[in-house]
Each structure stands twice: as C-alpha cells, then as structure tokens.
Amino acid sequence: FPTGNVTGRINDENARPAVGVTVVLMRAIYNANGQRTFQSAGQTRTNDRGEYRLFWVTPGRYYLNAGPGVGFVGLRLSGAGDSQNGFQESYASTFYPGTPDVRAATTIEVQPGLERSGIDLRITRQQLYKIRGRVIDSATGERPAAVSLSLASRGIAETGGIVQTTTQSYNASDGTFAIKDLMPGTYGITAQTADSMQLGLPRTDGPPRPGASAAVTVSDADENNVVLTLMLGVSIPGRLIVEGEELSKVAGLDRLRFQLSNVEEFFAGGFSRNPQPQAVSPTDATFREDNGLPGQYRLSVTQLPPDLYVKEARFNQTDVLNKPLQFSGSVSSPLEIVVSARGGQLEGIVMDEKRQPAVGISTVLIPDQYRDRADLYKTAVTDQNGHFLIRGITPGDYKAFAWEAIEPFAYFDSELLRRDEALGRSVRIAESDKKTADLKVIPLAQ
C-alpha cells in the first residue's frame, strides 16, 4: 500500500502557535495477556507557526499525542531549542482531539496515499509539583538509616513508564523524602532499605529487604503526607483442586503456572519480586507466592492442560477470579483454586467469500462478559480443510470470529470489537459441551 501523511497545527491556551512541541503518532499493540502498549509510528516537532507534518505513515489506526511525550517521570521540556532565539515551556500531555487520557482519545484513520489534514490540538502550559512524605520501619517504628526510593510514572497504556531510582530524595535525619518537578499524573513510589553497597541500586540477590509501595496521583497541587511503612513481604500458600479427575491422572499438571501481578503494573515490589510464575507441586497440588506486600493483585493461571478450565479462585472467602485479590499483609487462609476437567469444545469450518474452506485462518472465541480476563479468550488456526477445534472453554456466552488477517492479539482491541461485533457468531458453551459452529471469514476490508 502507498503510505499516507498526517498534518495539523498545535496552539497553546491563548490560541497562539505552540513552538517546538513534540508530536508523536502511535499505534496500539497488545500482548498475550491483553495488555496494551504503544509503538511510535513517527515523531516530529512543531515549527514557528505551530505546524507539524508526519509523513510516510503506514495505513492504519493511530493515536496522536502532543506535549512532553508520554510515560515519563518528572519534567520533559518542549521548546524551540533548535533556534538560537528559542525558549522552553512545559506543556501538558494531550491526545487528539483534546484529552489528557488516552482512554478518551479518538483514533486517526490513515488511508493509503492520502493526507489527513486538520488534525489540530490545543495544549496548555503545565505547572510542576512535588510529592513529600516519610518512611517508617514497621519493625521499630523509627525512621530507617538508609532508603532507596524508586519512582515510576503510569504510562499511557496504564503500565509503567520510565523508572528513576533516587537516594538524594531521602533525608535520613528525619525520615522524610521529597520528589520535585513532577507533572500531573499517577506515580508508583517504592521504598526499600539500603546499605552502603546497594544504596540507590536495585537488589537482585540475597534475602528480601523490607519494602513499601504506594500509588500517588498528582493533580493540581503538591501531594504531602505520603507514608511508606517498610515491612518484610510474606508468603501466600495456595492449593489446587481438580474437579472431575483424579490428581494423579491429570497429564501436564507440572507445566501449570500461577502468578499474582500487582494491579498497578509499574510497581517493582510485591509479588512481582518473583518475575517467574510459580509451579504447582505435582504430588500434593500446592504452590506458594512469596514476598508479598499489601496491595491489589490479579491472578493468572497459564499452561493449563487441554480440556481444563479455571472454575473458581477464592482468597479469604472472597472471589478473586473475576476481581483483584486484596492483600492486607496477613494470610488467614490459603489461596484456593478450583480447575475443572469439564471444559467445553467448539469446532467448525471456516469458509471464505467463495464458499471454499479457508486455510490458515485464526479463529478467536471472545467472551461476552469479563473481557478483561485474557484466559477466557481462545484461539485456533484452521487446517488444510478449513477446520478448527478449540478446547478447554470456560462455560459462558461467547462470540466466534474468523478474521482474514489480524495483527497478533489485536482481538483485545475494544475498538476493533465494536466495529466487528455484529460479524461474530454467538455461541453458548456449557460444561462438557461439544458444539459445532461454521464461520465466515471477515474480509480484510471490514
């Protein structure tokens, strides 16, 4: 396809040209867990008239951002630095058509060989703020002698941006800290005790150090009185129950993995100190998550044997399968996960526009509810006869899709689903169901 162009003008709050402002065109991409990140498809700066032009853009849907960039901690300046008469201003990050939140942004469709003009934005100058607080050692109730502080911003994908580790922000004489020059946004602050060899550096070996973390949102004022209470992480024991099958007869159980990930993705602390998912013991079906700090966590269960699905997960008598696990720092009962061997099946034939079997087509089964749960999405590729088979389906209502071409994991894109929702075939799956549903290929032009 021929490429396209995107042009426009950036003005400040006084309707004057915003000079030297960074303008970024980004495309959304997804991973296997349904997490969205953004990839730059072009970047430029406005000229003395506030104009910009992004060229040689591959056709597709994009987000446009102007201001200091996205996902950065602290201050990033935009200004006419390329000119000897230039000046520097700090601007608020703004997405087209004029919102600080990418979730409220509108995508821009770039067509082959065409120019999208008039993609204009108004951005405002941004005041900078501070976060102040204090650190307390829970074991002694006193200030720790040395602390390493890490600050991470929430990126535009609701995940971590650039991380800064600092020791100068901590005052050991009174246990206080102050972090300055911050733009409005949500930040994750993590504190850990430090020694002379590790001061200011992340620790990768040895026993865990006491730590604390907090999410702090800066809006239009300094944030004061943030308290970080250092404590040693504790372990959560877990137990797996298999319904409908004897434990000893479940093949592949040793490959099954569990993981608890902090809801605030930018935190380096909590259970994410264990970067690798935890295995289940094949002898007694137990597992354990270590070094947990208080917070909210999402449970994920991966590499399930065929035909099994996660039926239930409870912690402290609360459902944690469809909502985050709330961890206060103490454990009164183990994390109990029930899997069932009665997962449903769906098979069928995918036909192209000529009513011929479509080979190598990705079929995707998408839940009507809980679309934030990546484990409910199921995929299969058609064989030489256009046949597909999906196993281990959690009971529920779904839509089945067969796209002619789709980028990896793009089916997590809510905008794509809104566009093609009517083209999917509705199916209801009960336990042990073996259903058949033939599908039509969704053409690339749709």
Side-chain angles (χ1 to χ4, degrees):
F1 291 109
T3 58
N5 305 320
V6 179
T7 64
R9 184 189 300 269
I10 310 297
N11 290 330
D12 64 16
E13 65 269 28
N14 298 313
R16 296 171 181 169
V19 182
V21 170
T22 300
V23 181
V24 186
L25 197 66
M26 297 167 293
R27 58 190 292 267
I29 57 176
Y30 295 81
N31 64 16
N33 295 321
Q35 295 170 326
R36 181 172 65 170
T37 57
F38 289 84
Q39 189 176 72
S40 174
Q43 178 173 315
T44 189
R45 297 175 75 183
T46 57
N47 61 19
D48 61 317
R49 296 180 177 180
E51 301 166 335
Y52 72 90
R53 185 171 185 268
L54 294 155
F55 52 89
W56 295 343
V57 178
T58 302
R61 291 183 297 114
Y62 297 91
Y63 294 86
L64 185 128
N65 176 271
V70 289
F72 291 92
V73 171
L75 170 64
R76 182 176 177 183
L77 295 175
S78 295
D82 296 336
S83 168
Q84 62 181 358
N85 299 318
F87 59 91
Q88 289 188 321
E89 297 279 4
S90 59
Y91 288 101
S93 175
T94 306
F95 293 91
Y96 180 79
T99 174
D101 189 348
V102 69
R103 291 169 294 187
T106 299
T107 55
I108 299 165
E109 186 81 28
V110 177
Q111 300 290 343
L114 299 179
E115 180 167 293
R116 285 297 308 269
S117 59
I119 307 300
D120 303 335
L121 273 179
R122 178 170 292 189
I123 61 178
T124 59
R125 288 173 176 80
Q126 182 61 66
Q127 183 177 343
L128 305 178
Y129 301 101
K130 297 183 179 70
I131 295 177
R132 301 184 183 92
R134 57 195 177 100
V135 183
I136 300 173
D137 189 329
S138 64
T140 64
E142 303 292 335
R143 62 183 183 274
V147 169
S148 173
L149 290 169
S150 296
L151 181 75
S153 68
R154 173 177 288 171
I156 60 173
E158 300 300 303
T159 58
I162 293 175
V163 176
Q164 295 176 348
T165 301
T166 175
T167 55
Q168 290 78 17
S169 299
Y170 178 68
N171 185 345
S173 65
D174 59 7
T176 63
F177 66 89
I179 306 172
K180 62 181 182 178
D181 293 338
L182 298 175
M183 290 188 174
T186 300
Y187 298 88
I189 304 178
T190 300
Q192 281 190 306
T193 56
D195 55 38
S196 59
M197 295 294 293
Q198 297 159 332
L199 201 58
L201 298 175
R203 184 171 181 171
T204 58
D205 56 4
R209 290 176 290 164
S213 58
V216 180
T217 298
V218 177
S219 52
D220 56 358
D222 293 342
E223 286 295 321
N224 301 307
N225 304 317
V226 175
V227 178
L228 300 175
T229 304
L230 300 175
M231 62 180 64
L232 277 172
V234 301
S235 298
I236 289 184
R239 183 165 65 101
L240 178 73
I241 299 172
V242 181
E243 281 189 355
E245 192 76 60
E246 291 184 23
L247 192 65
S248 60
K249 296 181 179 179
V250 180
L253 197 63
D254 58 324
R255 295 192 296 271
L256 190 146
R257 294 292 183 270
F258 300 91
Q259 189 169 30
L260 291 174
S261 303
N262 203 302
V263 170
E264 297 290 1
E265 304 279 354
F266 45 41
F267 283 134
F271 292 102
S272 56
R273 292 180 188 175
N274 298 318
Q276 299 300 321
Q278 303 302 299
V280 62
S281 168
T283 56
D284 59 4
T286 60
F287 60 93
R288 189 180 69 185
E289 283 278 10
D290 292 321
N291 302 323
L293 296 175
Q296 290 186 320
Y297 296 88
R298 291 190 184 95
L299 170 69
S300 62
V301 182
T302 57
Q303 301 184 50
L304 275 168
D307 300 322
L308 266 66
Y309 75 93
V310 181
K311 186 172 184 177
E312 186 178 351
R314 301 189 73 81
F315 179 68
N316 289 340
Q317 308 303 315
T318 302
D319 169 39
V320 295
L321 185 59
N322 298 307
K323 57 185 178 181
L325 181 152
Q326 302 272 356
F327 181 53
S328 63
S330 62
V331 180
S332 60
S333 61
L335 171 60
E336 194 169 83
I337 299 176
V338 179
V339 298
S340 172
R342 302 187 183 95
Q345 291 188 13
L346 179 70
E347 65 178 324
I349 304 295
V350 176
M351 309 295 287
D352 62 20
E353 58 185 8
K354 297 180 180 178
R355 302 292 299 170
Q356 298 296 315
V359 180
I361 296 294
S362 292
T363 57
V364 186
L365 195 62
I366 297 177
D368 286 352
Q369 288 186 305
Y370 304 118
R371 286 188 172 179
D372 58 335
R373 280 185 55 189
D375 62 301
L376 295 180
Y377 291 67
K378 298 289 184 178
T379 64
V381 177
T382 58
D383 61 17
Q384 68 273 15
N385 299 313
H387 177 263
F388 70 90
L389 173 63
I390 299 175
R391 301 167 62 184
I393 303 170
T394 301
D397 294 321
Y398 295 84
K399 282 190 175 66
F401 298 84
W403 281 282
E404 181 181 13
I406 188 172
E407 294 183 7
F409 311 115
Y411 46 80
F412 287 113
D413 186 345
S414 59
E415 188 169 328
L416 172 69
L417 292 183
R418 281 195 299 270
R419 186 190 70 184
D420 291 347
E421 191 88 41
L423 302 176
R425 177 165 179 178
S426 296
V427 292
R428 173 169 289 181
I429 303 294
E431 277 197 336
S432 302
D433 261 355
K434 293 184 179 181
K435 287 196 170 179
T436 301
D438 294 337
L439 306 176
K440 294 180 180 179
V441 168
I442 300 173
L444 184 62
Q446 287 286 345

